[in-house]
Structures are given as structure tokens and as C-alpha cells.
């Protein structure tokens, strides 16, 4: 009688990730890359109404994020209740994601306030938080308050010259 073929040991099935959730190890990989990782994939523009900063308008989202309830045109106003007005604010929100249990985005869609909660699957890694604390926060220089930017002054750096019909004395 021929020997019976051995049954393959059942393979452990990877746990399914619920739609709209993120796995901590994937989030940590992104956090290690720093904010440029996000900003290269999600172009944004500043939204100011009157003299008051409102948030950052999403111009485009990666196709891979199609299951996330965000759209081009939505204006992100806070992450986990932290404002995002300055680079320092953005860095603070970024680093707290290392220990957060969820990502809570406050945003406006067509002027209406909305909120999106994305669960983070897996326990926080204390080493990740320490790594982010050690990493030098090298955000760009603080931008001046909106009222200083909106006075009609144009700052030209280096050899840049505006393309316009305006007569400008360049002799200085």
C-alpha cells in the first residue's frame, strides 16, 4: 500500500485589515520617512479666509487611498485635535501619530465641518516615539502670520524677477 501523502500544515492566514484602518507597522514606516513622504503624494494649498488661516486644501489624493473618505477640495483643519497652521504645528501632529490609537482628521467639505477617524491597528511602539523625538524637526522656517503676508508686498529672492508689465527699477 503506497504511503498516504502528508497533509500540509495549515498556514496561518494573515489577519484581514478592516477597510479604513491602517496597520501600525505601515504607519511607522511612513513616520520614519517624515512629512515629505506625505506631501509628495498629497499636494495641498493653504486656505486663508480674510486674515485667518483655515487649513490645507487637498488638491489630489493617491489612487491607493480611494477607500478613505477624503476628496480633492476637502480642507484639513486639524489632526488629532492639533492645528496645522505652522510647520511646528504640523511636526507636532506628525510625531504624536507614533503613539496614537487613531488618526482623527477634522476637515471641511464644501464649507461643512466633518471628521474622519482612521483606527491604527497594533500597539504603539515606545521606540518609535523616542525615534521621532530624537529626529530633528527640520520643518521650513515659520511662516509669518497671515496678516503680514497679505499686505501686498512681493518678496523676490536671488535673481528672480516677476514676469509682468510692471515697471520696476532694478538698479538697486
Amino acid at each position: 500500500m503506497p504511503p498516504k501523502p502528508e497533509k500540509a500544515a495549515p498556514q496561518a492566514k494573515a489577519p484581514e485589515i478592516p477597510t479604513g484602518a491602517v496597520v501600525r507597522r505601515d504607519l511607522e514606516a511612513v513616520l520614519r520617512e517624515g512629512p515629505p513622504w506625505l506631501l509628495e503624494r498629497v499636494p495641498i494649498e493653504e486656505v486663508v479666509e480674510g486674515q485667518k488661516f483655515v487649513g490645507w486644501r487637498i488638491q489630489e489624493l493617491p489612487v491607493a487611498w480611494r477607500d478613505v473618505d477624503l476628496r480633492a477640495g476637502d480642507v484639513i483643519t486639524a489632526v488629532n485635535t492639533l492645528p496645522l497652521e505652522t510647520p511646528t504645528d504640523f511636526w507636532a501632529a506628525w510625531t504624536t501619530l507614533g503613539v496614537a490609537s487613531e488618526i482623527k482628521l477634522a476637515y471641511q467639505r464644501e464649507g461643512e465641518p466633518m471628521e474622519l477617524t482612521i483606527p491604527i491597528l497594533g500597539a504603539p511602539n515606545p521606540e518609535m516615539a523616542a525615534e521621532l523625538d530624537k529626529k530633528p524637526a527640520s520643518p521650513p522656517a515659520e511662516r509669518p502670520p497671515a496678516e503680514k503676508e497679505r499686505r501686498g508686498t512681493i518678496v523676490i529672492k536671488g535673481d528672480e524677477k516677476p514676469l509682468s508689465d510692471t515697471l520696476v527699477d532694478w538698479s538697486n
Side-chain angles (χ1 to χ4, degrees):
M1 190 184 244
K4 291 183 180 178
E6 289 185 32
K7 289 185 179 178
Q11 292 185 2
K13 190 176 180 182
E16 290 198 25
I17 301 168
T19 301
V22 66
V23 177
R24 178 149 324 262
R25 72 175 176 278
D26 295 340
L27 174 63
E28 288 177 351
V30 168
L31 293 174
R32 282 185 182 94
E33 291 293 321
W37 183 95
L38 177 67
L39 298 173
E40 287 171 1
R41 287 158 181 80
V42 182
I44 57 175
E45 66 182 350
E46 179 183 44
V47 177
V48 175
E49 291 178 359
Q51 299 294 325
K52 187 175 184 313
F53 174 81
V54 176
W56 297 97
R57 179 175 292 113
I58 297 171
Q59 295 176 325
E60 185 179 338
L61 287 168
V63 173
W65 295 10
R66 67 183 163 270
D67 293 335
V68 177
D69 186 27
L70 288 175
R71 300 181 196 155
D74 289 347
V75 178
I76 306 296
T77 57
V79 174
N80 289 359
T81 72
L82 297 172
L84 303 172
E85 185 171 0
T86 68
T88 302
D89 294 341
F90 187 94
W91 182 251
W94 186 267
T95 59
T96 61
L97 293 176
V99 295
S101 60
E102 62 189 10
I103 303 168
K104 191 173 284 194
L105 299 173
Y107 64 102
Q108 293 179 1
R109 178 172 291 155
E110 298 174 4
E112 293 298 317
M114 304 191 74
E115 191 170 271
L116 172 64
T117 301
I118 302 169
I120 301 171
L121 306 177
N125 176 354
E127 292 171 10
M128 180 73 222
E131 187 177 325
L132 288 172
D133 282 342
K134 281 191 241 173
K135 196 173 202 173
S138 56
E142 292 282 333
R143 72 177 180 78
E147 63 271 7
K148 289 184 182 175
E149 290 180 3
R150 307 292 186 254
R151 291 192 182 168
T153 302
I154 299 173
V155 177
I156 301 173
K157 298 178 183 175
D159 293 331
E160 299 172 11
K161 295 179 183 170
L163 299 174
S164 72
D165 295 334
T166 305
L167 295 175
V168 179
D169 180 8
W170 295 104
S171 62
N172 292 343

